[in-house]
Amino acid sequence: AMQAAARRLRKELNASARESGFSLCTAYGLDPSSVTLRMLRRGKAGDLAALATAARRAGDERMLKLLAARNADPDKAVKADSVQALQRSWQPLAEEGEAVDEVRALELQLQQATVRATVAALRKRLPSRTDRAALVASLDESALNAAAAVLVAAALGGCEWA
């Protein structure tokens, strides 16, 4: 009897957590149609990133649209956890004139929102130096270091390439 009561309570708590935007991947796995924009707006960065990955793998256009709608608000866009995470989820940009299907367009839109949110987060963390110029460089052959340098340069307000 005690175990049954604990199981019922755990089931209620899990349902309540999913409704509040927690455990989005679990909710998506149980019933993809149960995930709503309201839940996504309340979701945390890690849950949203995992959900976006699951939706990309499944080719779920509806979920990608919901994630894009959430990220349309600059205050709600999710920043990248690391340059490596950004690299792992990176989608090559469409070439000029290339036909892009709707799912790919949504993926690119999510990617753009992630980069913008990352630059905005870096901007908040960097000291303001309006009185002097800054040089940002990547001195080795690492693509990750070069990407990090580009993100920091963008956060500083632009860059000049030599």
Side-chain angles (χ1 to χ4, degrees), residues 9-20 39:
L9 180 60
R10 192 169 44 247
K11 186 177 178 183
E12 270 182 51
L13 289 173
N14 285 339
S16 174
R18 284 191 293 276
E19 260 180 45
S20 298
M39 292 166 70

Side-chain angles (χ1 to χ4, degrees), residues 86-101:
L86 197 58
Q87 180 193 33
R88 275 193 306 274
S89 66
W90 190 259
Q91 301 288 321
L93 302 178
E95 297 292 326
E96 184 120 2
E98 178 185 345
V100 178
D101 67 342

Side-chain angles (χ1 to χ4, degrees), residues 9 15-16 18 29 33 40 43 52 54 66 69 74-75 78 81 84 87 89-90 106 110 118 125 135 137 152:
L9 180 60
S16 174
R18 284 191 293 276
S33 65
L40 293 179
L66 288 175
D75 294 334
V78 179
D81 292 330
Q84 290 92 345
Q87 180 193 33
S89 66
W90 190 259
L106 289 169
L110 286 171
T118 302
R125 305 255 326 163
L135 173 65
V152 170

Side-chain angles (χ1 to χ4, degrees), residues 6-7 17 26 31 52 57 63 69 74 77 88 96 103 112 134 137 146 151:
R7 198 173 14 255
T26 305
D31 180 14
R57 282 189 187 136
M63 187 54 57
R88 275 193 306 274
E96 184 120 2
V103 172
Q112 183 181 29
L151 289 170

